[in-house]
Structure formats: structure tokens, C-alpha cells
Amino acid sequence: MDNINSLEHRFQSAIDNDEKIEARDWMPDAYRKTLVRQISQHAHSEIVGMLPEGNWITRAPSLKRKLALLAKVQDEAGHGLYLYSAAETLGVSRDEMLDQLHTGKAKYSSIFNYPTLTWADMGAIGWLVDGAAIMNQVPLCRCSYGPYARAMVRVCKEESFHQRQGYEILLTLCNGTPEQKAMAQDSLNRWWWPSLMMFGPSDADSPHSAQSMAWKIKRFSNDELRQRFVDMTVPQAEILGITIPDPLLKYNEETGHYDFGPIDWDEFWEVVNGNGPCNKERLAARVKAHEDGAWVRDAAVAHAKKQQQAKLSVA
């Protein structure tokens, strides 16, 4: 028992001193489990997040837009791979994580269970969804777990580009015809509230937030990040000339922040629990893609074994 207490003391001292915890270091089981849950769900979100945008690759309005969207979807796949690799350093296998996703045991961001109805949604996802992701993820570059923190550096750089790309799509639409600007407004109307939900439940209802902050896995609470996102996004909407769909939105002179209306948490929990507009569609698409790609994985394993045998025979 004394040995465990000593290990826990050294672990917490490292956390308090802003030192990185590495894969071979001792860590409490609860810390490991929290990281596996968060990093795997983050990876799942990147992979499932390819689907709403992939839906528009063949319908992009120009070759330039098609190339940019292809590159973005490819980036999201890469982010998922970085994160799965980071989670594997904690002793969980890729197959185990994917099985948890495909069986519904593991969650992913609720935002990806909404449909993309128009081209303007590609702009809204880049501006709002990736903007919210950046707000969430930049502090993760200082996460106490080293492999996660280092993976996030490149992810955040690419997400920042995606956010600017999305904003430029909406800016082009808002400077176009009245019909195009109306399309941008409609997209903002549909994506605004789900984007605020991306930060997770309010601090009072978040079961993991306080402990994650004590371990410096998270650096800011859900509500702090949500407020920062609102404060950043409202002036950008004003430049676009479109209106955020919140009649209670108002700048508060005393606090220096924007006050905003209540979030429909009933909708949030419905989507999280599998009853959103596209939950079943998204999960079915991922399972089918995994099953259809089995031959590729089998071929890669067979090739690796053949190469290993060849090396052994030479040796």
C-alpha cells in the first residue's frame, strides 16, 4: 500500500509540475481508462466525421472545391490514425477500439449525426464544427499525457486550415446571389445549436470534467470553452452578414462576453443515445466500410509476414 501511495504521489507531483506522463510511466488505472475513453472517442469522431463531408465530394460546385474537400476528408482520416496510435500506447488494441465503435459501446461527437443538406453545410461544418473542435483541441496540445499532446499539434494546425476553408465557402455564398446567402443562413440556423452542444454537457452535469482537469487532461471546463467559442464566432457572423439563430444572444457590457439562450439538452442526450437524425446511417456506413476493407487488411498482414520470413531466411 505504501508503494502505491508513493507512486500516486510522484504521479500527481509530475502532473502538478506540468511534466508529461509517458506510456511507460506508472499511472493510476482511472487515469489510463479516462485517456482511453477520451482519445478513442476523439479518434472515432474524426473517422465518422468523414461521412457528412464525403457525401458532397461528388457534388462539389467546382474542381477547386472538390480537390479542397477531398484533401480535408483525407486529413480527417489521418487525424483518426494519429489518435488511434496514441490510444494504443495505453495498452488498448485498434481492433478493440473499432469493435467498441461498431457495436455502439463507444461514443463519438454528436455533431456528426446531423445531415448535410446543401453545399453551404460544407462551409458551416468548417467554420462552426471545426471552429468548435479547435477551441476544444488547442488546450489538448498541453495535455498531461505526452503521446496525446504531441498528436494534437499537427491535428490543430490542420483543423485551423479547415476552419478558414469553411469560412471562405460561406463568405463566397454570402457575397453571391440572394439565394446563395439564404442557403448560408439556413445552414447556420441548422448547425449553430449542435455546434454549441459539441463542448459536452454543462459543467454541473459533466461526470468526468472535474477529474480530467485535476489530471490536466483537460485545461478548461466545457462551459468555459463554449463561452469562448460564442465570443469568437458572433463577430465572424456579423462580417458574413448572417444572423445567429438565438433571439437571446446579447453582448454583456459587465462581463465582456456574449450571453446566449438555453441549449436543448434533451436533444443532445437523444442524439448521444443513438436517436439522432443520422445515428443509424453513420454507424452502418462505418461497419460496412470496415467489413468491405477486410481483404485489404488481410493482404497487408500476409505481405508483412512474407517479408518477415524473407528476412529470417536471409539471416
Side-chain angles (χ1 to χ4, degrees), residues 118-135:
T118 70
W119 171 252
D121 289 1
M122 297 302 96
I125 288 176
W127 174 40
L128 298 175
V129 176
D130 292 328
I134 292 165
M135 197 64 65

Side-chain angles (χ1 to χ4, degrees), residues 10 14 26 57 89 100 181 192 200 219 222 243 247 258 260 310:
R10 279 189 287 174
W26 184 91
I57 290 174
T89 66
Q100 290 172 349
K181 187 171 184 178
W192 174 251
R219 294 282 179 159
N222 296 349
T243 305
Y258 284 91
F260 52 93

